[in-house]
Tab-separated table of all heavy atoms in Angstrom:
chain	number	residue	atom	x	y	z
A	1192	PRO	N	-8.953	14.419	6.881
A	1192	PRO	CA	-9.535	14.346	8.218
A	1192	PRO	C	-10.242	15.675	8.491
A	1192	PRO	O	-9.688	16.738	8.194
A	1192	PRO	CB	-8.319	14.192	9.149
A	1192	PRO	CG	-7.200	13.818	8.261
A	1192	PRO	CD	-7.493	14.388	6.902
A	1193	ASN	N	-11.456	15.583	9.005
A	1193	ASN	CA	-12.236	16.807	9.176
A	1193	ASN	C	-13.363	16.507	10.158
A	1193	ASN	O	-14.073	15.502	9.991
A	1193	ASN	CB	-12.807	17.203	7.795
A	1193	ASN	CG	-13.430	18.576	7.800
A	1193	ASN	OD1	-14.238	18.900	8.654
A	1193	ASN	ND2	-13.043	19.374	6.833
A	1194	PRO	N	-13.539	17.342	11.173
A	1194	PRO	CA	-14.605	17.060	12.140
A	1194	PRO	C	-15.997	17.104	11.500
A	1194	PRO	O	-16.956	16.595	12.078
A	1194	PRO	CB	-14.441	18.163	13.198
A	1194	PRO	CG	-13.631	19.223	12.539
A	1194	PRO	CD	-12.793	18.566	11.496
A	1241	ALA	N	-13.177	12.504	6.624
A	1241	ALA	CA	-13.331	11.519	7.698
A	1241	ALA	C	-13.170	12.185	9.048
A	1241	ALA	O	-12.190	12.889	9.297
A	1241	ALA	CB	-12.286	10.418	7.543
A	1242	SER	N	-14.135	11.954	9.925
A	1242	SER	CA	-14.068	12.495	11.285
A	1242	SER	C	-13.754	11.391	12.279
A	1242	SER	O	-14.322	10.306	12.228
A	1242	SER	CB	-15.422	13.123	11.655
A	1242	SER	OG	-15.430	13.431	13.033
A	1243	LEU	N	-12.846	11.692	13.206
A	1243	LEU	CA	-12.529	10.725	14.264
A	1243	LEU	C	-13.588	10.721	15.348
A	1243	LEU	O	-13.682	9.766	16.118
A	1243	LEU	CB	-11.188	11.073	14.925
A	1243	LEU	CG	-9.909	10.801	14.166
A	1243	LEU	CD1	-8.758	10.762	15.149
A	1243	LEU	CD2	-9.963	9.502	13.397
A	1244	GLY	N	-14.337	11.778	15.472
A	1244	GLY	CA	-15.339	11.842	16.525
A	1244	GLY	C	-15.837	13.274	16.669
A	1244	GLY	O	-15.335	14.184	16.003
A	1245	ASP	N	-16.811	13.449	17.541
A	1245	ASP	CA	-17.454	14.752	17.661
A	1245	ASP	C	-16.700	15.654	18.625
A	1245	ASP	O	-17.197	15.995	19.705
A	1245	ASP	CB	-18.924	14.568	18.083
A	1245	ASP	CG	-19.720	13.862	16.991
A	1245	ASP	OD1	-19.290	13.923	15.822
A	1245	ASP	OD2	-20.751	13.249	17.303
A	1246	TYR	N	-15.491	15.984	18.234
A	1246	TYR	CA	-14.667	16.930	18.971
A	1246	TYR	C	-13.691	17.526	17.962
A	1246	TYR	O	-13.548	16.995	16.859
A	1246	TYR	CB	-13.899	16.231	20.109
A	1246	TYR	CG	-13.242	14.954	19.674
A	1246	TYR	CD1	-12.005	14.980	19.034
A	1246	TYR	CD2	-13.878	13.723	19.842
A	1246	TYR	CE1	-11.408	13.809	18.608
A	1246	TYR	CE2	-13.279	12.550	19.411
A	1246	TYR	CZ	-12.052	12.604	18.799
A	1246	TYR	OH	-11.463	11.445	18.353
A	1247	VAL	N	-13.054	18.629	18.349
A	1247	VAL	CA	-12.214	19.335	17.378
A	1247	VAL	C	-10.744	19.273	17.789
A	1247	VAL	O	-10.386	19.633	18.907
A	1247	VAL	CB	-12.684	20.804	17.223
A	1247	VAL	CG1	-11.770	21.543	16.255
A	1247	VAL	CG2	-14.122	20.841	16.720
A	1248	LEU	N	-9.924	18.785	16.877
A	1248	LEU	CA	-8.467	18.767	17.054
A	1248	LEU	C	-7.899	20.039	16.414
A	1248	LEU	O	-8.597	20.736	15.681
A	1248	LEU	CB	-7.886	17.530	16.362
A	1248	LEU	CG	-8.442	16.181	16.823
A	1248	LEU	CD1	-8.040	15.078	15.845
A	1248	LEU	CD2	-7.954	15.864	18.224
A	1249	ASN	N	-6.628	20.291	16.661
A	1249	ASN	CA	-6.024	21.499	16.085
A	1249	ASN	C	-5.701	21.344	14.604
A	1249	ASN	O	-5.440	22.334	13.921
A	1249	ASN	CB	-4.735	21.857	16.829
A	1249	ASN	CG	-5.046	22.539	18.145
A	1249	ASN	OD1	-6.108	23.136	18.306
A	1249	ASN	ND2	-4.127	22.433	19.084
A	1250	GLY	N	-5.693	20.113	14.139
A	1250	GLY	CA	-5.365	19.892	12.738
A	1250	GLY	C	-5.514	18.423	12.412
A	1250	GLY	O	-5.831	17.611	13.288
A	1251	GLY	N	-5.243	18.078	11.166
A	1251	GLY	CA	-5.484	16.705	10.734
A	1251	GLY	C	-4.392	15.710	11.101
A	1251	GLY	O	-4.578	14.497	10.925
A	1254	ALA	N	-5.251	12.939	13.577
A	1254	ALA	CA	-6.248	12.072	12.923
A	1254	ALA	C	-5.564	11.174	11.884
A	1254	ALA	O	-5.898	9.987	11.766
A	1254	ALA	CB	-7.347	12.914	12.278
B	1965	ADE	N1	-9.539	17.685	12.450
B	1965	ADE	C1	-9.946	18.431	13.492
B	1965	ADE	N2	-10.793	17.746	14.259
B	1965	ADE	C2	-10.941	16.519	13.700
B	1965	ADE	C3	-11.690	15.360	14.023
B	1965	ADE	N3	-12.491	15.300	15.081
B	1965	ADE	N4	-11.600	14.299	13.207
B	1965	ADE	C4	-10.819	14.352	12.117
B	1965	ADE	N5	-10.096	15.411	11.764
B	1965	ADE	C5	-10.147	16.495	12.541
Side-chain angles (χ1 to χ4, degrees):
N1193 190 310
S1242 170
L1243 286 199
D1245 294 337
Y1246 46 83
V1247 178
L1248 303 167
N1249 282 335

